[in-house]
Amino acid sequence: MSSPWTRERSINRFGLTEVFTPAGGSEVDVVFVHGINGHPYTTWTSAKGKVFWPAQLLPPLVEEAKARVMVYGYDADTGSPTGDILPPNRALDVDDQPRCGTPYDGVGQDKIHNHAEHLVATLCANRRSRHATDHPIVFVAHSLGGIVVKRALIHSSRIRGKKTEHLRSVSSSTHGILFLGTPHFGYEITKWKTWSDMISCVTLGGSRSQSRLVEALKPDSETLQVVDRDFVDLTSDFHIFYFHEMKPSRLDNDWRYIVDEASAAPVIQDVERAGIQQDHVHMCTFEDDSTPGFVLVTEAIQRYAAEAPEFIRRRRVTDPDEKQVKLVAGVTSGLAATSISTSAGHALDSKPQSKHYYLVPRDRVKDFVGREAQLDEISAHFSRPSTQQPRVLVLHALGGQGKTQIVLEYCQRWRMHYRGVFWADASSEVLALQSYTRIATALSEESQAKIEDGEMAIGMVKAYLEDWYEPWLLIFDNYDKPDEFTRVKRFLPQSDQGHVIFTSRHRDLGRLGTTIELPGLGLDEGVQLLLRHYSSQEIDSNRGTAREIVRRLGCLALAIDQAAAYIAYKQILPCRLEEFITLYDLQRKKILSYVPHKFWEYGSIEMHGREDQIKAINAFTTWEISLGQLMRDNPKERNAVTRFLTLSAFFNPARIEESLFRNHWENTEYWEDNKHWNNDPPKKKRLRNVFKRWKSKEPRNSNVPTHHTQIAWLSAIGTRRDDVDVTGIPPSLKPDDQWDADRFWEVLQSVHRLSLVQTIEKDTNGATFSLHPLVRDWLQHRVQAVDHQQNIKESFDILESSAFCYFENPTRIGVSEKNALVSHIDACMLADTQLSESQNQLGSEKRSYETASNLASYYYEQGHLESAESLERRIIKNEDTDIRYFARYCYSLLALGRNDEVVRLSSHRRQFCEETLDERDPHQLTLMACLSLALRELGRYDEAESMQRQTLQLRTEVLGENHWDTLVSMSDLATLLYERGKFMESEALARETLKICEIALEKNHVITLVAMDALTLALKGQSRFNEAQEIQRQVLHSSQHLYGMEHPITLVSIKNLAQILESTDMDEAEKLYRDVIQSMKKALRKGHPHTLNSMGCLARLLREDGKDDEADEIEREILELEEAAA
């Protein structure tokens, strides 16, 4: 006889309550777990008829499967509303009015893992007391309850201790899980004004206080990420059904989905999913069998309960970990016994499960539609046999067509197939190296600081993946510039287990692998994406108008998504979609008047024909509409944010750092007298650090003309000033006007909501954001051509401020940050070349000389010598060029090994300057120092020594012995003395230099490293190899830390160490020479003097070791390179 639930029975607020037990005993346990601010009774009870369906509707359906039904309660309250609430130790009778909150125990502050452990312990205790420990389990979980269940199963599965072995029975007995509205990836916070608003809506008037549980449900929650990652390893053991809400919830006259489909029901291979035509709160309550979702949910419970006993029985037979095995005492959850004896006497290997990795950005669109054919094509490609190792697929389409989102969808659906899924930003080599550093950090579980440079990261990633026997997937996203990023194949691990996907707007990538051309969305797919928030009846009634909108948007996925965001933002009813068409037509006219007929990438390289060009314009028009919705109640602030976005478009769009704008703010000072701002006069600006390239030291030009609105837009995005006037006179600055990181984040959130930026992130170093490349192009082109020059100039000013911060304290900035700034300068230079007239480009007119020289010097310091030389050449070709710019140019030529040019140009310039400048002029001395170094490299030692001694004497008199330039001259002379065989004098001068450096400079300053280099050479010349080796290793370690492995300074340090080791460890010396030669050929050039010198040293070393054939081959290559250079 069954024992049905009756009105006399009560439900325990906390713990388990049996609400149905079949006659004759049970064989399966069905456990219900409520969500945030929920209750074991009210969560599952209908509002109208007070039907508690687990006890009143479910039992007849599961009685045949002999399923026992239980509800579980835990403290998931986020606060206590006013009124009398039941004490926690009292059971709730159905006649009581249920409320959320418990004033007796306050706000629920337990963490998710606390609730998970309690669920496991309580369930085990109940099952043991009823002799039901071997019963299969089916969980039904709503909202947060799903996260608690996942965490409980993770906890149970990891138990290996002898005394707690019984707790493992929960995971080993679980067969099925129904997740109803569970926020696997968190609640979408951008939909709510505050978290309390969301919690209020979730619980129909519950408390608005925050708790740890609320914090754990944010999209960027580390708790959710860890649970998601760890649960992936278990999903293959369970039957899973995801349910998502199909009706929005109402809050403050707005309708929102509490947990969107992407978070509640991710698409995963072999996992069931369905929608329920109810909102978040009511999707788990049923009045009768006609209530939406009842049949879907109860059929799944019934099916899982019926099939569970056989599945669990087979699992226990085939899986040695599930047999009744007593583990050897002392084996912990972190170690597995190599052999476990069963009752039959067989030895069974117990291997720990491989760790899974899913390093994929969480910017997958929440409403992915269509594209099934393309997803099937990707899956089919990787399923076919292939001799390619790894198998490579290229997904090609116009920007904004949805390439990245299709790949993200594929990753999500097939993540269980791969041991690891990894994402790399391939928009530039620098960013790809940064991605590989993050991947290497995750694989090795080392701190990122221990990964010295990108090459080391590449080696680590390849070594790990090539060693795996399970499939892995690598994505190279936005590989759009193969002509610049040419060495992408060196990133690919060689393994037949590997699958690689490239996304690109570049058509000619067939050399990498099979190419799939991505078409635009179909009209019906586009309509589904555009009107995804409306009912199927509303879509059908307005399909014609919606198709017209999709057609006008060129079937471009990104533009359609943008339009959908605007329609939702304006709450345009389906019957009034014509309003959007009218507004769209008006905006398109305005935009087209500002856009040139030939777009740069889309009009020349990428675009072929008018149809494609119109698509690009369509996307531009859509974004212009969204921009018009930005801060409509504050036009001044909107103008400032628009200015901020426009200038950001000239940087590398993949990752733009808050520090760029903060540095510019903190390094800028203005006249406080407002009268100076009439009629757009020049800005008074002082950068707090004097420009420094260690070869020369120059003050910043104090009067640089700049548009007078600069102070206003910076104030608007980075401070909370109320007196910002974008169009009028800027306010005066006060000493307490500090950069406000929270304000900047608010601005990013506002533009992110309208999809004007692609992603936003925040960490301890500040905020970062990215722009879709097509949005970047729109921002650049939306203004009239006459404004391009001013925008680019101001963007260069922003980058110059960050370069100054580096020169002020180079040791506080990591290699990745330095490379990021290089990528921004590269992007701005490219835009300048393509959008500015040649006579107006950076460095081509006098007012931009200083900025051009400063950015060239940053290039120089980061080892980008060709870029530095190219930019400085723009300056010196002008007749009015100052000698200081000429001296800097000569140093770039010197670093490139073009010594003959240095001698020719500097000799001519010195003769010209002798007529107008005193020989004691610091710039004249800089040129003399550069010329002496070129003479030294050419072997003209007498001339070089004479000139260096003269330079050193004059610098000491004019600048003082502690000046950086004086110390550089001392080190240069010490090196020259070594090359002339004057070892004792060289050592004495080098030690004197170091003594001054210890007083005048900070530790590990580049000038100190140069002096240490000179000292090691002097010691080597005296055969004091051990002393020299010790000092040179210190120099190399510091160089690697400051500059990375491929910087010229680091490479010269490696070469110097190899020369010292020739006398003590020939094998290590040979290895260092081989490595540094390969690096020099990439970082410098094959014919560079440093490269040729290192090759000559290796050939000599090989000949001494009897390897004459290889030495002959290297020497022939040296001759060929010298002839080519000549």
Side-chain angles (χ1 to χ4, degrees):
M1 180 93 184
S2 64
S3 177
W5 179 89
T6 65
R7 293 180 63 84
E8 286 72 31
R9 296 190 60 180
S10 55
I11 306 298
N12 295 322
R13 174 68 178 86
F14 301 123
L16 283 166
T17 304
E18 289 186 31
V19 298
F20 172 73
T21 304
S26 62
E27 295 182 2
V28 178
D29 288 341
V30 179
V31 182
F32 286 75
V33 183
H34 65 76
I36 196 164
N37 276 359
H39 189 281
Y41 170 74
T42 57
T43 293
W44 315 105
T45 301
S46 65
K48 182 179 179 181
K50 301 298 181 184
V51 176
F52 180 48
W53 72 272
Q56 294 176 266
L57 301 181
L58 183 63
L61 303 177
V62 296
E63 188 169 15
E64 184 178 347
K66 296 184 178 181
R68 180 171 62 133
V69 181
M70 295 179 282
V71 291
Y72 175 75
Y74 60 103
D75 182 10
D77 297 339
T78 59
S80 304
T82 59
D84 296 329
I85 307 298
L86 292 170
N89 59 351
R90 176 186 161 188
L92 174 71
D93 188 84
V94 296
D95 292 327
D96 290 325
Q97 292 297 321
R99 294 185 179 95
C100 297
T102 314
Y104 299 92
D105 59 358
V107 177
Q109 288 295 320
D110 290 338
K111 297 180 180 178
I112 287 176
H113 73 84
N114 298 134
H115 295 307
E117 291 172 358
H118 189 265
L119 172 60
V120 171
T122 303
L123 196 53
C124 280
N126 177 282
R127 286 155 59 85
R128 284 169 70 90
S129 68
R130 287 158 177 75
H131 307 289
T133 54
D134 60 340
H135 286 185
I137 301 172
V138 176
F139 284 105
V140 182
H142 177 243
S143 193
L144 169 68
I147 306 299
V148 173
V149 169
K150 289 165 68 174
R151 186 67 183 84
L153 293 172
I154 294 166
H155 165 64
S156 174
S157 69
R158 291 177 173 176
I159 291 173
R160 293 294 188 275
K162 183 177 181 181
K163 297 178 181 179
T164 56
E165 184 182 23
H166 63 285
L167 297 175
R168 195 170 188 273
S169 66
V170 173
S171 64
S172 63
S173 300
T174 298
H175 170 65
I177 313 170
L178 285 75
F179 293 104
L180 284 77
T182 295
H184 299 283
F185 303 141
Y187 292 107
E188 185 56 60
I189 189 172
T190 57
K191 295 178 179 178
W192 309 97
K193 296 177 182 177
T194 66
W195 270 96
S196 57
D197 287 338
M198 184 275 293
I199 295 301
S200 175
C201 190
V202 169
T203 58
L204 292 181
S207 165
R208 296 184 175 225
S209 301
Q210 283 196 328
S211 71
R212 292 177 181 175
L213 294 180
V214 177
E215 291 296 320
L217 295 179
K218 291 185 177 181
D220 57 353
S221 162
E222 184 176 353
T223 299
L224 282 185
Q225 294 176 18
V226 171
V227 170
D228 182 51
R229 181 195 67 200
D230 294 346
F231 189 69
V232 164
D233 296 336
L234 305 179
T235 50
S236 60
D237 295 337
F238 310 132
H239 283 226
I240 296 174
F241 207 135
Y242 291 136
F243 294 93
H244 62 90
E245 63 210 64
M246 296 182 69
K247 283 188 175 181
S249 302
R250 188 174 181 83
L251 177 68
D252 294 338
N253 298 319
D254 200 2
W255 293 92
R256 302 291 184 189
Y257 289 99
I258 306 297
V259 183
D260 60 39
E261 181 181 349
S263 183
V267 180
I268 299 177
Q269 194 73 11
D270 209 25
V271 171
E272 297 179 272
R273 63 194 300 273
I276 295 178
Q277 284 288 346
Q278 294 280 22
D279 61 26
H280 183 76
V281 172
H282 297 102
M283 69 184 301
C284 56
T285 64
F286 305 120
E287 188 77 27
D288 51 39
D289 59 7
S290 65
T291 305
F294 176 81
V295 174
L296 275 173
V297 173
T298 56
E299 186 280 330
I301 297 174
Q302 189 177 18
R303 173 160 45 92
Y304 289 172
E307 66 189 19
E310 178 62 19
F311 269 92
I312 297 301
R313 185 192 66 77
R314 288 207 304 264
R315 180 192 296 171
R316 288 170 178 157
V317 169
T318 58
D319 189 344
D321 283 342
E322 308 303 344
K323 294 184 178 182
Q324 299 301 314
V325 177
K326 299 299 183 182
L327 296 179
V328 179
V331 176
T332 68
S333 61
L335 299 173
T338 56
S339 177
I340 302 176
S341 297
T342 68
S343 58
H346 298 290
L348 296 170
D349 292 330
S350 179
K351 298 179 180 178
Q353 287 188 333
S354 299
K355 183 176 180 180
H356 282 67
Y357 301 86
Y358 190 71
L359 304 182
V360 174
R362 290 187 179 273
D363 56 353
R364 174 171 166 263
V365 293
K366 58 185 179 298
D367 298 303
F368 184 87
V369 300
R371 300 304 201 183
E372 294 300 328
Q374 286 72 39
L375 289 166
D376 290 343
E377 192 172 359
I378 295 172
S379 175
H381 171 79
F382 289 133
S383 300
R384 289 190 290 267
S386 173
T387 58
Q388 189 181 22
Q389 297 183 4
R391 278 176 274 188
V392 179
L393 184 69
V394 180
L395 197 61
H396 169 262
L398 173 71
Q401 203 72 282
K403 302 180 294 295
T404 298
Q405 293 302 327
I406 288 175
V407 177
L408 284 168
E409 186 71 17
Y410 176 83
C411 291
Q412 182 64 38
R413 292 190 185 186
W414 286 89
R415 62 186 294 182
M416 296 302 303
H417 177 74
Y418 298 100
R419 179 177 173 184
V421 182
F422 307 98
W423 196 278
D425 184 346
S427 52
S428 73
E429 186 169 3
V430 169
L431 293 170
L433 290 172
Q434 292 177 14
S435 298
Y436 261 56
T437 300
R438 288 191 286 272
I439 296 171
T441 301
L443 289 172
S444 64
E445 298 184 350
E446 295 280 355
S447 69
Q448 197 167 122
K450 292 186 178 181
I451 301 175
E452 297 172 348
D453 60 13
E455 292 302 320
M456 182 177 178
I458 292 175
M460 290 173 66
V461 173
K462 292 173 73 172
Y464 273 100
L465 299 190
E466 288 172 357
D467 197 43
W468 284 3
Y469 292 100
E470 303 93 336
W472 50 263
L473 174 65
L474 258 175
I475 294 93
F476 289 84
D477 191 35
N478 289 327
Y479 184 60
D480 297 328
K481 299 177 181 177
D483 294 338
E484 297 178 16
F485 186 1
T486 58
R487 298 185 296 156
V488 71
K489 285 188 175 181
R490 68 191 175 101
F491 286 72
L492 304 184
Q494 299 303 301
S495 166
D496 58 0
Q497 295 295 327
H499 295 171
V500 179
I501 299 177
F502 285 85
T503 69
S504 179
R505 290 186 290 164
H506 200 285
R507 294 182 182 276
D508 187 21
L509 293 180
R511 59 185 174 82
L512 292 176
T514 303
T515 299
I516 293 179
E517 295 287 344
L518 180 63
L521 283 172
L523 283 177
D524 288 333
E525 288 180 332
V527 170
Q528 185 182 354
L529 177 60
L530 182 72
L531 302 181
R532 58 186 180 272
H533 297 300
Y534 298 102
S535 68
S536 55
Q537 182 178 355
E538 290 172 326
I539 293 175
D540 290 339
S541 301
N542 298 278
R543 189 174 296 275
T545 306
R547 280 191 170 194
E548 179 61 24
I549 293 174
V550 171
R551 193 177 290 109
R552 293 196 184 197
L553 293 173
C555 298
L556 197 67
L558 185 59
I560 296 169
D561 201 29
Q562 192 85 39
Y566 174 77
I567 291 171
Y569 179 85
K570 294 290 293 181
Q571 299 182 15
I572 298 177
L573 297 175
C575 59
R576 300 179 62 182
L577 285 177
E578 293 85 358
E579 292 180 6
F580 178 86
I581 296 177
T582 302
L583 183 58
Y584 174 84
D585 287 338
L586 291 174
Q587 293 291 334
R588 182 175 59 179
K589 280 185 181 180
K590 180 178 179 182
I591 298 303
L592 289 178
S593 65
Y594 292 143
V595 176
H597 292 296
K598 186 175 182 181
F599 287 72
W600 51 331
E601 289 181 351
Y602 306 107
S604 54
I605 300 174
E606 303 288 343
M607 311 295 288
H608 302 279
R610 176 169 174 75
E611 180 180 353
D612 284 342
Q613 189 171 357
I614 289 175
K615 287 182 180 178
I617 295 171
N618 287 337
F620 287 11
T621 309
T622 305
W623 293 314
E624 195 69 34
I625 294 173
S626 292
L627 187 63
Q629 298 305 310
L630 184 66
M631 301 173 182
R632 296 186 66 178
D633 56 339
N634 192 335
K636 295 178 180 178
E637 195 168 277
R638 182 178 65 212
N639 291 340
V641 176
T642 301
R643 184 82 179 142
F644 154 68
L645 287 172
T646 301
L647 297 177
S648 299
F650 294 96
F651 305 144
N652 188 320
R655 184 178 174 85
I656 303 173
E657 302 83 4
E658 175 186 353
S659 58
L660 293 176
F661 306 96
R662 182 179 63 241
N663 292 340
H664 194 46
W665 171 263
E666 293 175 349
N667 286 286
T668 306
E669 182 180 280
Y670 296 85
W671 290 111
E672 293 199 10
D673 187 350
N674 286 340
K675 68 180 182 181
H676 292 284
W677 292 88
N678 296 328
N679 301 319
D680 194 17
K683 170 189 69 179
K684 177 72 175 178
K685 181 165 93 171
R686 176 182 65 83
L687 289 174
R688 294 175 181 169
N689 176 59
V690 200
F691 168 76
K692 180 71 193 70
R693 182 197 297 189
W694 61 267
K695 298 295 183 183
S696 130
K697 187 175 183 180
E698 293 300 333
R700 169 76 171 139
N701 184 2
S702 61
N703 291 287
V704 183
T706 296
H707 198 278
H708 69 278
T709 60
Q710 176 171 322
I711 180 62
W713 74 260
L714 268 173
S715 295
I717 69 166
T719 71
R720 295 191 183 274
R721 298 290 297 268
D722 347 348
D723 52 350
V724 172
D725 186 346
V726 176
T727 57
I729 299 174
S732 60
L733 290 182
K734 299 180 177 62
D736 59 350
D737 282 327
Q738 299 296 320
W739 181 263
D740 191 326
D742 291 335
R743 167 60 183 159
F744 185 80
W745 180 247
E746 289 172 5
V747 171
L748 285 186
Q749 286 181 313
S750 69
V751 294
H752 185 253
R753 279 193 290 270
L754 291 170
S755 301
L756 292 170
V757 298
Q758 191 171 24
T759 61
I760 58 175
E761 297 178 10
K762 192 176 184 182
D763 57 27
T764 54
N765 296 321
T768 59
F769 63 98
S770 65
L771 293 170
H772 188 281
L774 204 59
V775 177
R776 181 267 319 268
D777 296 347
W778 159 68
L779 286 167
Q780 289 185 359
H781 287 87
R782 65 180 298 274
V783 299
Q784 292 179 331
V786 294
D787 292 327
H788 286 155
Q789 183 61 35
Q790 177 57 39
N791 291 336
I792 293 171
K793 184 198 174 306
E794 193 165 348
S795 298
F796 278 130
D797 284 344
I798 294 171
L799 298 177
E800 186 183 20
S801 293
S802 286
F804 271 64
C805 289
Y806 160 75
F807 289 119
E808 186 175 57
N809 189 357
T811 59
R812 74 169 183 172
I813 303 175
V815 174
S816 60
E817 290 88 349
K818 296 172 186 175
N819 290 337
L821 183 54
V822 169
S823 73
H824 292 315
I825 300 174
D826 286 343
C828 207
M829 290 291 298
L830 181 61
D832 191 28
T833 301
Q834 294 174 329
L835 297 175
S836 301
E837 299 292 336
S838 58
Q839 69 272 16
N840 296 326
Q841 291 174 4
L842 183 69
S844 299
E845 50 185 350
K846 190 169 185 177
R847 63 177 182 172
S848 67
Y849 287 172
E850 192 67 23
T851 298
S853 183
N854 292 344
L855 295 179
S857 294
Y858 185 80
Y859 270 140
Y860 180 96
E861 290 286 346
Q862 304 312 313
H864 293 256
L865 304 178
E866 297 282 359
S867 298
E869 186 274 338
S870 175
L871 186 49
E872 286 169 330
R873 188 173 356 108
R874 285 189 186 179
I875 305 174
I876 64 104
K877 70 181 182 181
N878 298 294
E879 295 181 358
D880 58 350
T881 303
D882 192 287
I883 187 175
R884 65 179 182 273
Y885 303 124
F886 192 86
R888 294 175 185 176
Y889 176 64
C890 285
Y891 268 109
S892 292
L893 293 177
L894 185 69
L896 287 167
R898 292 157 61 177
N899 302 305
D900 289 325
E901 288 184 66
V902 174
V903 172
R904 176 174 56 81
L905 292 173
S906 57
S907 297
H908 173 75
R909 189 73 180 202
R910 285 189 68 226
Q911 291 176 2
F912 173 78
C913 291
E914 283 175 356
E915 302 174 2
T916 57
L917 293 177
D918 188 328
E919 68 172 1
R920 299 163 63 87
D921 181 88
H923 306 308
Q924 181 83 317
L925 295 177
T926 300
L927 195 57
M928 286 175 60
C930 184
L931 176 57
S932 68
L933 292 175
L935 293 171
R936 184 189 76 186
E937 294 297 323
L938 292 171
R940 295 161 61 175
Y941 295 121
D942 289 337
E943 297 174 75
E945 182 175 348
S946 174
M947 188 170 292
Q948 284 195 5
R949 290 186 183 279
Q950 181 185 4
T951 304
L952 176 57
Q953 179 183 349
L954 290 172
R955 278 182 164 173
T956 304
E957 294 173 1
V958 175
L959 304 174
E961 67 173 8
N962 290 351
H963 194 277
W964 293 1
D965 291 347
T966 306
L967 295 173
V968 169
S969 287
M970 293 173 69
S971 297
D972 289 343
L973 180 56
T975 302
L976 178 58
L977 292 172
Y978 156 77
E979 293 183 358
R980 304 209 70 181
K982 302 176 182 181
F983 304 133
M984 299 288 287
E985 186 179 357
S986 174
E987 179 188 355
L989 184 55
R991 290 191 183 278
E992 181 184 353
T993 308
L994 283 172
K995 186 176 180 181
I996 300 173
C997 287
E998 291 176 359
I999 300 172
L1001 304 175
E1002 67 270 18
K1003 185 179 180 181
N1004 290 335
H1005 194 282
V1006 64
I1007 296 175
T1008 306
L1009 299 182
V1010 172
M1012 292 172 71
D1013 258 328
L1015 177 59
T1016 60
L1017 293 175
L1019 295 173
K1020 170 180 170 288
Q1022 299 173 66
S1023 300
R1024 292 155 63 182
F1025 301 114
N1026 290 335
E1027 293 178 69
Q1029 181 185 152
E1030 181 181 355
I1031 296 173
Q1032 191 60 48
R1033 289 191 187 277
Q1034 294 177 24
V1035 174
L1036 178 56
H1037 180 268
S1038 297
S1039 299
Q1040 289 172 337
H1041 175 71
L1042 285 173
Y1043 300 106
M1045 284 296 294
E1046 292 196 349
H1047 195 283
I1049 291 178
T1050 305
L1051 298 179
V1052 171
S1053 296
I1054 296 173
K1055 183 195 75 170
N1056 290 345
L1057 178 59
Q1059 288 178 329
I1060 296 169
L1061 290 172
E1062 284 185 35
S1063 302
T1064 59
D1065 190 340
M1066 291 182 63
D1067 289 340
E1068 186 180 359
E1070 180 181 338
K1071 181 180 183 305
L1072 287 176
Y1073 276 133
R1074 292 185 186 279
D1075 291 344
V1076 81
I1077 289 169
Q1078 293 302 317
S1079 297
M1080 284 181 171
K1081 286 180 177 180
K1082 292 184 291 185
L1084 300 172
R1085 56 185 173 88
K1086 292 183 177 180
H1088 192 283
H1090 286 320
T1091 309
L1092 299 178
N1093 180 263
S1094 299
M1095 293 173 68
C1097 291
L1098 177 59
R1100 185 187 68 250
L1101 191 65
L1102 292 172
R1103 202 172 295 284
E1104 291 177 4
D1105 199 29
K1107 302 175 182 178
D1108 293 330
D1109 290 342
E1110 188 176 0
D1112 290 341
E1113 183 179 345
I1114 292 174
E1115 288 173 349
R1116 281 195 296 271
E1117 184 181 358
I1118 293 173
L1119 288 175
E1120 291 173 0
L1121 292 173
E1122 288 177 337
E1123 290 174 0

